[in-house]
Amino acid sequence: MNFLEERILKDGVVKPGNVLKVDSFLNHQMDVDLLDEIGREFHRRFADCPINKILTIEASGIAIAYAAARAFGVPLLFAKKSKSINIDGEMYTAEVESFTHKNKNQIIVSKRFLTPADHVLIVDDFLANGCALMGLISIVQAAGATVEGLGIAIEKGFQNGGRIIRNLGYRLESLAIVDAMDDATGAITFRAQ
Ligand code: 5GP
């Protein structure tokens, strides 16, 4: 069991509706030593890739992306969520449905910060149905940049996102893959990696 799986077992809480709460250490209160370790682990796993930018989506992806950007020594770029449909031509946009809030957001990235010269590692805290990652992938493609890989802290392997993204041929590394969880007992089962 790796450091993140151990922490999830210690402090994660299984909620109804297939939600795993990790807000005591990952996406509300944050354990910065754990975040640093996550950043270093992404760097180790993608050491062979010519990554020059980390891309994530606000808000909870930003801390993980910061740790990754530190480890790689490259800039961090985050997609902003925007309610406005009046986006000028200076932005790449994608539509993303939120797993946790069930609403749709337009996400935007300025064309100034993503170009065909970029080799991007996309990171996020969770992977569920893959909507957030697919939106980020489409923005990288629209910019003519290269998706070198995707790094996720916690993948819920019983939902579809991981399968969809791997089937598209992307290199996806999830530090913890939850294959089953039970809100009645609190039990969490990880995929052996
Ligand atoms: P997806 O787009 O893959 O369906 O969902 C990913 C996004 O939803 C992540 O950015 C994350 O913020 C949120 N999310 C999905 N599942 C969970 C969960 O079980 N717990 C928490 N805390 N956030 C989740």
Side-chain angles (χ1 to χ4, degrees):
M1 198 176 302
N2 71 28
F3 67 96
L4 183 58
E5 293 167 331
E6 279 173 9
R7 188 61 179 271
I8 294 166
L9 285 192
K10 183 167 162 278
D11 291 327
V13 180
V14 183
K15 294 284 185 187
N18 287 333
V19 172
L20 176 61
K21 260 190 119 65
V22 290
D23 61 354
S24 65
F25 61 97
L26 198 64
N27 56 19
H28 190 20
Q29 174 169 264
M30 294 176 176
D31 178 335
V32 295
D33 289 333
L34 184 87
L35 289 168
D36 282 347
E37 206 166 349
I38 290 172
R40 285 193 298 269
E41 181 62 19
F42 286 146
H43 186 242
R44 194 181 68 75
R45 293 188 185 207
F46 290 99
D48 56 322
C49 301
I51 289 160
N52 70 345
K53 198 158 284 185
I54 307 294
L55 177 66
T56 191
I57 182 169
E58 69 175 353
S60 53
I62 294 175
I64 284 171
Y66 178 90
R70 269 259 169 251
F72 282 87
V74 301
L76 147 62
L77 177 64
F78 67 94
K80 297 186 176 200
K81 292 174 183 164
S82 159
K83 298 256 175 302
S84 157
I85 46 166
N86 249 340
I87 302 296
D88 59 33
E90 300 309 303
M91 299 283 179
Y92 297 112
T93 68
E95 182 134 298
V96 168
E97 184 166 350
S98 163
F99 175 82
T100 34
H101 301 107
K102 306 290 177 220
N103 59 343
K104 280 193 179 169
N105 278 300
Q106 182 161 242
I107 61 167
I108 58 173
V109 170
S110 169
K111 290 185 176 173
R112 282 186 297 146
F113 302 132
L114 208 50
T115 74
D118 285 320
H119 291 258
V120 180
L121 176 65
I122 296 173
V123 305
D124 204 0
D125 58 344
F126 269 93
L127 172 56
N129 294 322
C131 212
L133 290 190
M134 292 304 293
L136 292 171
I137 289 170
S138 77
I139 282 178
V140 175
Q141 286 174 336
T146 305
V147 177
E148 289 289 340
L150 302 103
I152 293 294
I154 306 171
E155 174 180 339
K156 291 186 292 180
F158 53 88
Q159 294 179 276
N160 280 331
R163 186 154 23 92
I164 292 168
I165 284 159
R166 290 188 181 94
N167 284 346
L168 288 170
Y170 290 105
R171 178 165 166 193
L172 168 63
E173 296 271 352
S174 299
L175 305 193
I177 303 181
V178 175
D179 263 343
M181 56 187 205
D182 184 338
D183 64 276
T185 63
I188 299 172
T189 310
F190 294 109
R191 187 175 303 173
Q193 300 201 65

